[in-house]
Amino acid sequence: MDNKNISIIHPRPSSIVAALYTLRDLNVDVAILHGPPGCSFKHARLLEEDGIHVVTTALDESGFVFGGHDALVNILHKVNDMFHPKLIGVVGTCASMIIGEEMREPVMEANLDVPVIEVEVHAGYRNNTKGVLFALESALDAGIIDREEFSRQQHLLEEATNVELRHGAASKEYLAPSRGDVKYKVAQRIIELLKEGKRGITIMNAKKETGYMFADITLAVNEVAEKLGKADNIINMSNTDVGLGLPRVRHHAECIMKDFEEKGLNVHEIIGGLDEYPVAGATIDKLIEEKYSDYDFAVISGVPHAIPMDHLAGMEIISVTNGPRQVLPLKELGHEHVLVEIDLHPKTLGVNHIVESEFGATLREVAKESL
């Protein structure tokens, strides 16, 4: 079977949710889901924790037959009066798209003095990045982003899709979820490596707000190395370029770098922006080849499967992901230890400081027992 055309049967993120998160990154104040009130409930609630209002047109069985034009006009007026937003997003759902709802007309009819980004999307696309692309296209049309940023984002989306097809959640027809290796034992292994005088690299290659927790892995390794008198044995890389990305993404990078600085952590190599995780692998591979090829181990957090194995092959690799379905592909790539931060996403929404990770906490506790 052609690997690119396999039918993925395990649950995956949907294009609707991807569009919602993109609107969040564009600093939309209100996102209107045009569909039934239960659509994307979990993510809608999480996004409200992240500071934006998410409402629905609450289409019911009658709306599925007669359409939701009037409901959308009414909710546009209502959210404008209630929240006084500076930017509104409207996102389609499977229900509204199947019955052929056209969202531009009701937006024009509402005639608000606020820009509105319309995203006509459903969850039936093979790649959930379609939802991101549609949101960005609409933002470009509305003048919210310029052509240069749109082209940059489009390239990143193509690469993100390729990463998932090669070694990610779209690489196999079915991937069973796994919690990965036991954190306690992996923490012991890192301490053992440091005590032996081995040299290591921390690589944070995180996706947007998830960086708030993956950054804690970098902090924990450095804290333990310092207590063991091995601080100079660690090199830190992170994709926290503060000048790249949509507005909210740049803000996340600024917050993480500020926390790193306050903790006294030295980031030796900036490998890209927080939205550049699909393409940072080439930079990392080149850096390792030119400067760090003789290091002994690497602790990779975020999206480890986006990093080529070419020059990591001689190192012992410890990877931390938030994807339970990512464990098997990483093991197949040759990562000796794979850990999962299962509750990462809910804990990194609505924050602006580094959040303690389960593995970071485990490593710190095991170090106390070992010293």
Side-chain angles (χ1 to χ4, degrees):
M1 183 182 290
D2 184 345
N3 197 47
K4 292 182 179 178
N5 294 315
I6 58 175
S7 178
I8 310 301
I9 61 172
H10 53 252
R12 302 170 62 207
S14 83
S15 300
I16 299 168
V17 173
L20 281 172
Y21 276 88
T22 304
L23 292 175
R24 183 276 315 265
D25 292 339
L26 289 161
N27 279 345
V28 159
D29 301 294
V30 182
I32 300 171
L33 270 167
H34 187 32
C39 183
S40 303
F41 161 72
K42 180 180 178 182
H43 287 280
R45 189 169 64 177
L46 285 173
L47 282 169
E48 289 214 296
E49 295 295 319
D50 208 17
I52 73 170
H53 301 286
V54 182
V55 300
T56 85
T57 47
L59 287 185
D60 57 13
E61 292 170 312
S62 174
F64 297 163
V65 176
F66 298 107
H69 175 102
D70 293 346
L72 183 51
V73 174
N74 291 338
I75 198 73
L76 281 163
H77 283 297
K78 182 171 284 188
V79 299
N80 198 39
D81 293 339
M82 288 179 69
F83 304 122
H84 310 293
K86 295 178 181 175
L87 183 61
I88 297 173
V90 180
V91 182
T93 63
C94 294
S96 58
M97 294 297 100
I98 286 171
I99 63 174
E101 286 286 282
E102 195 278 328
M103 300 194 299
R104 183 63 181 164
E105 187 179 332
V107 169
M108 294 294 289
E109 186 175 322
N111 193 29
L112 305 181
D113 56 355
V114 178
V116 179
I117 301 173
E118 307 130 26
V119 191
E120 295 195 4
V121 64
H122 54 70
Y125 295 100
R126 182 176 292 273
N127 300 313
N128 75 317
T129 49
K130 278 286 186 184
V132 182
L133 184 62
F134 291 161
L136 292 170
E137 286 175 342
S138 187
L140 176 66
D141 292 341
I144 307 301
I145 60 173
D146 59 25
R147 174 64 64 179
E148 183 179 357
E149 181 61 25
F150 174 78
S151 298
R152 178 178 168 277
Q153 293 289 336
Q154 192 174 33
H155 172 63
L156 293 177
L157 289 171
E158 290 169 357
E159 291 303 314
T161 299
N162 290 334
V163 165
E164 293 309 309
L165 286 171
R166 283 196 300 267
H167 304 298
S171 62
K172 294 182 186 298
E173 183 180 40
Y174 181 76
L175 284 164
S178 167
R179 297 298 176 95
D181 295 312
V182 177
K183 294 180 175 67
Y184 180 84
K185 291 186 175 178
V186 179
Q188 285 182 318
R189 180 60 185 155
I190 290 178
I191 292 167
E192 189 176 286
L193 288 165
L194 288 168
K195 283 183 172 178
E196 291 173 358
K198 305 292 186 184
R199 295 189 297 170
I201 308 170
T202 72
I203 305 171
M204 182 182 116
N205 187 37
K207 180 179 180 181
K208 303 179 182 179
E209 70 275 5
T210 65
Y212 285 116
M213 187 175 283
F214 288 126
D216 184 60
I217 309 292
T218 299
L219 284 178
V221 172
N222 279 269
E223 288 169 18
V224 171
E226 185 172 0
K227 287 181 179 176
L228 291 169
K230 306 292 184 182
D232 293 339
N233 286 26
I234 300 296
I235 288 294
N236 302 306
M237 302 183 186
S238 73
N239 62 327
T240 43
D241 189 321
V242 299
L244 294 173
L246 298 179
R248 190 171 290 230
V249 173
R250 295 198 302 272
H251 175 69
H252 295 327
E254 290 169 2
C255 293
I256 291 170
M257 287 302 289
K258 185 179 178 184
D259 280 0
F260 277 158
E261 186 177 347
E262 289 179 354
K263 295 284 186 180
L265 185 128
N266 181 20
V267 178
H268 302 85
E269 310 284 0
I270 296 290
I271 53 176
L274 276 171
D275 57 1
E276 293 196 321
Y277 63 93
V279 299
T283 303
I284 296 164
D285 190 55
K286 187 177 180 184
L287 282 168
I288 292 174
E289 179 187 19
E290 294 178 349
K291 300 170 70 173
Y292 309 113
S293 60
D294 57 345
Y295 274 59
D296 304 292
F297 69 97
V299 181
I300 309 174
S301 62
V303 188
H305 55 290
I307 302 174
M309 288 296 292
D310 298 5
H311 299 97
L312 284 169
M315 301 182 196
E316 185 168 338
I317 303 176
I318 299 109
S319 288
V320 188
T321 174
N322 64 323
R325 298 185 192 280
Q326 199 56 59
V327 175
L328 178 62
L330 285 169
K331 289 281 187 180
E332 289 180 343
L333 273 171
H335 296 221
E336 282 89 342
H337 316 280
V338 181
L339 307 170
V340 180
E341 290 287 343
I342 198 70
D343 294 326
L344 181 147
H345 214 209
K347 292 178 180 176
T348 54
L349 290 172
V351 303
N352 53 19
H353 287 287
I354 293 174
V355 176
E356 186 174 56
S357 63
E358 188 177 324
F359 181 58
T362 304
L363 183 57
R364 293 180 179 101
E365 286 302 312
V366 174
K368 287 180 186 174
E369 298 170 4
S370 304
L371 297 176

